[in-house]
Each structure stands twice: as structure tokens, then as C-alpha cells.
Amino acid sequence: MPIYKTATEIYDMLIHEPWETSPGKIVINMMGQSVTINDKSIIGYALQNWLAEYLKAHDIYFRVPANSQEFPDYFLSESDNDNLLELKTFDADRGAGFDIANFEAYCRSIETKPYRLNADYLVMSYTLRDGVLKIHKIWLKKIWELTCPSSAYPIKVQQKQNTIYNIRPGKWDSDGCKYKPFASMTDFVSALHRTMKIYPKTKDSAD
């Protein structure tokens, strides 16, 4: 029988693994050719698949959505409403620049599925050099602990030509940053609302 574990329990397992002495690599074997991948664009998906195998190896219950593009990456219980886990990765040499969620889609989703606000985010920083993949640090955060305000909007977003695309993380692991992570779920939701009120495309639907 599978074992039911929370995201916190899985995080506690992962941070006690011997990462420093356990580098990895991503290899493709085809037509008698073996190639070690040195392209960082594949790392997030590769680690997502690796984590699934890790959970299987430890008999930990999880499910994945039928569509791999849907939220979340993993369900850690038989319920669709709690124990939701997302995996995010970033290059330790460049800092966290991943997309947390599409801004408009996320705002729409929490209107009818507010439990998504309480999902856990497992964040891994890595390096990939000469085909050698190393995990440097792992965090477990809530979305309000990853996000922060910005000079442009009440929440930090990716913006191109005055169009908001994605919610972006702040520097939660740095004490010297100008904008600190939100202190609570309420502060995070308030920042979403205020951003919607300012952004012309969502102004009328914000309330």
C-alpha cells in the first residue's frame, strides 16, 4: 500500500539526501548514439520526472493531472482540493526567474478554486556544467512566500509591451532585497486584486 505524506514530509526527506556527493546527468540514447544533454531548458521537466520516480521508489502516494500542463504537478492525496504540490527549478548561477503562474489564468482559477492558494511549492536550485547536474538548495514555500511587490505593480510580474504575462518570484532567500515577500495569504490576494484594478485588461473584472 502506498504511504501518504505531506509536502513538508517529502521536503524533509529531500533535504537530508546526499546531494553534494550525488551529481547527475541527463542522457539520450538513440540509434546507438549516447548524448549527454547540456541544455538547461530541459532541466525543469527532467527533475519533475525524476521526483515522480523518487516518490515511487519510496512508495509515496501521488497522482499527476491527465494534462501535464495543468495545475498542480502532483496531487499528494486522493482529494483534488488539498495536498497540492508544484515543482519549480532555477539555475543557481542566475537566480530565480521562473514563471509561477499565468497572471490572468491564476486570478480566474482562485475565484472558483480558492484552495489552490494553499498549494505547496517545492523549489530546487541547480547547476549544469559540462553535462553534470548538481542540486544546490531546496526550499518549500507557499505562493505568498515566493512573491513580492514591485515598482510597476503591487505584485511582481513579467510584462512585455504593457501586457502582463506571468507572476514572477521575488528574492525570498536574500535579506538585502528591496521588496520583501508577502507576509500572508491575505497580503498576496490583496496584491493580486490591486494589480487587477490597475491593469487595464482586468480592471473591470477585478472585484
Side-chain angles (χ1 to χ4, degrees):
M1 293 293 291
I3 304 166
Y4 291 86
K5 286 188 177 292
T6 64
T8 300
E9 290 172 319
I10 293 169
Y11 167 74
D12 288 339
M13 291 172 61
L14 288 169
I15 61 173
H16 288 100
E17 295 289 2
W19 296 106
E20 292 184 5
T21 57
S22 302
K25 60 181 179 179
I26 301 170
V27 178
I28 181 171
N29 287 293
M30 186 178 293
M31 299 291 289
Q33 302 296 319
S34 179
V35 180
T36 298
I37 305 300
N38 198 43
D39 186 341
K40 295 173 183 176
S41 65
I42 199 174
I43 300 299
Y45 188 71
L47 286 175
Q48 186 175 331
N49 280 265
W50 176 87
L51 182 57
E53 292 302 314
Y54 179 88
L55 297 177
K56 288 179 186 176
H58 289 83
D59 295 321
I60 297 171
Y61 178 88
F62 74 97
R63 294 179 293 121
V64 297
N67 182 342
S68 62
Q69 300 301 313
E70 292 180 356
F71 179 93
D73 291 327
Y74 315 93
F75 295 96
L76 299 180
S77 72
E78 296 178 22
S79 170
D80 289 349
N81 299 352
D82 52 29
N83 294 313
L84 312 180
L85 181 63
E86 277 275 295
L87 175 65
K88 298 295 181 182
T89 64
F90 68 93
D91 184 348
D93 292 331
R94 300 185 63 182
F98 52 83
D99 297 329
I100 294 178
N102 176 272
F103 174 73
E104 290 184 63
Y106 188 82
C107 291
R108 286 194 302 269
S109 73
I110 61 172
E111 182 180 2
T112 57
K113 300 175 181 178
Y115 55 83
R116 289 187 173 190
L117 286 163
N118 205 40
D120 290 294
Y121 290 75
L122 185 69
V123 184
M124 291 180 153
S125 67
Y126 66 84
T127 58
L128 180 66
R129 296 170 184 153
D130 298 322
V132 178
L133 176 64
K134 293 183 177 180
I135 300 299
H136 277 245
K137 196 166 182 181
I138 304 174
W139 299 264
L140 186 67
K141 298 288 185 180
K142 297 295 187 181
I143 194 167
W144 61 88
E145 297 174 314
L146 292 174
T147 51
C148 68
S150 72
S151 58
Y153 286 102
I155 192 167
K156 185 177 179 180
V157 294
Q158 175 197 39
Q159 183 181 203
K160 296 178 182 179
Q161 297 181 339
N162 298 319
T163 298
I164 293 178
Y165 289 94
N166 298 302
I167 300 171
R168 282 286 176 86
K171 295 182 178 179
W172 70 87
D173 57 337
S174 173
D175 293 331
C177 59
K178 181 178 180 180
Y179 295 103
K180 303 292 184 183
F182 297 111
S184 67
M185 182 192 295
T186 302
D187 289 349
F188 169 73
V189 174
S190 174
L192 285 179
H193 179 235
R194 287 181 286 119
T195 299
M196 290 182 73
K197 293 286 283 186
I198 295 170
Y199 184 45
K201 192 174 179 181
T202 58
K203 184 176 181 179
D204 293 339
S205 61
D207 289 341

